[in-house]
Amino acid sequence: MTTTSNPLGTEQIGPLLRKFAIPSIIAMLVGSLYNMVDQLFIGNFVGALGNGATNIQFPLSILNVSIALLCGIGAASTFNLAMGRGETKKAGYYIGNAVTIMFLGGLILTIITELFLEPILLACGATENILPYAVEYSRVCALGYPLFILSAGGSHLVRADGSPNVTMAINLVGAIVNTILDFFFVAVFNWGMAGAAVATIIGQYIAGIMVIVYLTRFKTVKLSIKHFIPQAHIIASIASLGTAPFINQIAMMIVQITMNRVMGHYGAQSIYGSDIPITCAGIISKVNGICFSFVIGISQGLQPIISFNYGAKQYKRVKDALLLALKIAACITFASWACFQLFPRQIVSIFGSGDELYFQFCEKYFRIFLFGICSAFLQPISSNFFTSIGKPYKGIFMSLTRQVLFLAPLIIFLPMIFGFNGVLYAGPIADVLSFTICLILVRMEFSHPEFKYAK
């Protein structure tokens, strides 16, 4: 397939980005809403400890997503780069191998979780009060891991095949099923944490099956059994371009676990106790995830455009697409910042009731920890940009900046100086430092001849 016959290489950047980004944004929003919907019903019908339990389980969800992005984005990038170079026979192996690894990875993760659930949840920061709720919720959720990973990662493969609307449909159907079943299982039948978990995995299974059905009708290459047999060099290529988003998710998981444990430790020494900070941190993490669903959705929608045009040596289109994506993402994070500063109590109230200390802490957390969010758009988009042009090491480094290099150490060390407030100060400091480094690296890349003199 040549550049002239593929709309990725010819269509105007604005409409093209909109075509791919909007379904990607919706897909990311739907992914965020899986946990968000559970938290809404659990908060209103089970209580604050149930909400705390979903926060304790959240690192396991992040781990699933990390495997999905390692294989999904890695395979999508290698597939689109291969198609841009005209290597159609080789391209199908990236798709098939990714599917196999995603399913096997989910199966292994299910077995490990079921065997060692309580130690895992305690390591994630579960308190004595929250642990029973977390066990009930997580044990059921673990049964859905293989198709959860396949649906989350497979959506990138569907998008890479030029079907962003199908990606959107897959994720929407799963989320709608989850929401409807949450209402019946939690609000009507009073099945509590287990009911919310069952609703979640049914939605994930349906979405995963839709991905499998699509793979039998893949458009750009015809997939056969040989494409699904794992090959070391194919997996290595996928992993090299999927490592940046994978590490970014792993970093998020580490930060989430660290945050839970630090919140529990320093919260116990404050007027808030351990349970309020852990519960509030979980809610605010999910709300912040809505903002980043837009940013990451734009980044993912950008990926096939960047990969194809870089492979086709159309560098001006690569540069124009990246700059447009950054402008849109900057507007989104600024709007989110304004909402978080002006309406924190109203946002938290959606997730159920609590005492005055609960709301006081949530307001404080929103306004301080998320103060730097207006600068947080650059890191995920620039990291994915380097991955998409086949420079995974830069993408990996940039994916590590906020979470691993800055946020995790700051969360640990700042409370030693500033007490409990140090945890909150870590957020904006990490955002600003990450923004600065990513800006320098992107400007350096654009100084290279292929971009500097692109026409």
Side-chain angles (χ1 to χ4, degrees):
M1 185 173 291
T2 63
T3 299
T4 56
S5 65
N6 194 313
L8 288 170
T10 58
E11 193 172 325
Q12 288 185 349
I13 293 298
L16 192 62
L17 181 59
R18 183 168 61 248
K19 175 183 176 183
F20 280 86
I22 290 177
S24 299
I25 290 169
I26 293 174
M28 287 302 302
L29 282 171
V30 167
S32 295
L33 288 173
Y34 266 115
N35 281 309
M36 180 77 77
V37 168
D38 281 357
Q39 197 138 21
L40 284 168
F41 281 98
I42 289 169
N44 284 283
F45 293 96
V46 178
L49 291 177
N51 264 340
T54 65
N55 186 35
I56 295 301
Q57 190 272 342
F58 195 48
L60 292 173
S61 294
I62 297 174
L63 183 57
N64 278 269
V65 173
S66 71
I67 297 172
L69 296 186
L70 173 68
C71 300
I73 290 182
S77 297
T78 49
F79 175 81
N80 286 129
L81 284 167
M83 294 298 289
R85 294 189 296 262
E87 300 173 353
T88 55
K89 289 185 178 180
K90 188 177 181 181
Y93 289 95
Y94 297 122
I95 302 298
N97 274 233
V99 171
T100 300
I101 298 304
M102 283 190 283
F103 186 82
L104 291 177
L107 190 59
I108 292 169
L109 193 56
T110 294
I111 294 170
I112 292 172
T113 303
E114 294 291 355
L115 290 176
F116 306 104
L117 182 57
E118 285 201 24
I120 290 172
L121 295 176
L122 289 170
C124 289
T127 65
E128 182 180 351
N129 293 327
I130 290 175
L131 182 61
Y133 295 89
V135 168
E136 182 181 2
Y137 184 70
S138 302
R139 194 170 295 285
V140 178
C141 285
L143 300 176
Y145 288 167
L147 287 192
F148 175 29
I149 293 173
L150 186 58
S151 63
S155 64
H156 298 282
L157 308 182
V158 174
R159 186 185 306 109
D161 192 43
S163 301
N165 289 329
V166 177
T167 297
M168 178 176 63
I170 289 169
N171 287 280
L172 275 176
V173 169
I176 291 170
V177 169
N178 180 33
T179 303
I180 293 172
L181 293 182
D182 259 332
F183 171 75
F184 284 105
F185 293 170
V186 181
V188 178
F189 300 150
N190 293 316
W191 289 356
M193 302 297 296
V198 170
T200 296
I201 66 170
I202 290 175
Q204 292 166 351
Y205 267 71
I206 291 174
I209 291 169
M210 291 176 70
V211 169
I212 294 171
V213 171
Y214 182 89
L215 291 172
T216 65
R217 304 170 183 175
F218 213 70
K219 296 189 303 182
T220 48
V221 295
K222 184 174 177 58
L223 298 175
S224 61
I225 293 176
K226 65 180 181 180
H227 293 119
F228 295 87
I229 299 173
Q231 298 183 32
H233 71 284
I234 295 294
I235 295 171
S237 296
I238 292 170
S240 69
L241 295 188
T243 299
F246 170 79
I247 290 179
N248 192 45
Q249 290 294 315
I250 294 297
M252 286 176 60
M253 183 184 72
I254 292 170
V255 169
Q256 185 70 43
I257 293 171
T258 304
M259 179 72 78
N260 288 345
R261 296 181 69 88
V262 171
M263 285 285 192
H265 175 73
Y266 286 97
Q269 303 172 18
S270 72
I271 60 173
Y272 304 111
S274 298
D275 295 333
I276 285 178
I278 289 175
T279 300
C280 291
I283 292 172
I284 291 164
S285 174
K286 307 290 173 45
V287 173
N288 190 33
I290 296 294
C291 166
F292 275 91
S293 293
F294 287 92
V295 176
I296 295 173
I298 291 170
S299 175
Q300 293 176 355
L302 186 67
Q303 177 269 316
I305 303 170
I306 294 289
S307 292
F308 184 92
N309 284 285
Y310 193 84
K313 298 183 179 181
Q314 297 200 100
Y315 300 117
K316 185 177 186 303
R317 287 177 62 81
V318 173
K319 186 175 182 179
D320 290 346
L322 177 65
L323 292 177
L324 178 59
L326 289 174
K327 290 175 184 176
I328 297 170
C331 293
I332 290 168
T333 54
F334 179 79
S336 300
W337 174 85
C339 290
F340 296 160
Q341 294 301 310
L342 295 173
F343 310 113
R345 182 174 289 241
Q346 291 86 342
I347 294 171
V348 173
S349 297
I350 298 171
F351 296 90
S353 60
D355 59 23
E356 186 58 28
L357 275 178
Y358 170 81
F359 284 108
Q360 283 179 8
F361 181 80
C362 287
E363 288 179 333
K364 188 176 184 179
Y365 193 113
F366 258 118
R367 288 183 170 138
I368 299 177
F369 190 80
L370 298 182
F371 188 78
I373 192 175
C374 51
S375 66
F377 66 93
L378 182 59
Q379 185 262 340
I381 291 181
S382 57
S383 173
N384 199 37
F385 162 71
F386 281 104
T387 299
S388 298
I389 64 174
K391 297 185 178 181
Y393 295 113
K394 288 186 177 180
I396 291 168
F397 172 74
M398 296 172 82
S399 70
L400 291 173
T401 53
R402 183 183 187 273
Q403 303 285 350
V404 173
L405 296 183
F406 301 129
L407 187 55
L410 288 169
I411 287 172
I412 294 171
F413 292 113
L414 285 184
M416 297 179 184
I417 302 171
F418 300 104
F420 197 42
N421 287 337
V423 182
L424 308 183
Y425 300 148
I429 295 173
D431 286 330
V432 172
L433 291 174
S434 176
F435 175 86
T436 303
I437 288 180
C438 291
L439 180 63
I440 291 171
L441 290 176
V442 170
R443 289 177 66 88
M444 288 174 62
E445 185 68 26
F446 277 0
S447 69
H448 293 172
E450 64 265 31
F451 288 114
K452 189 173 182 180
Y453 303 109
K455 295 182 180 179

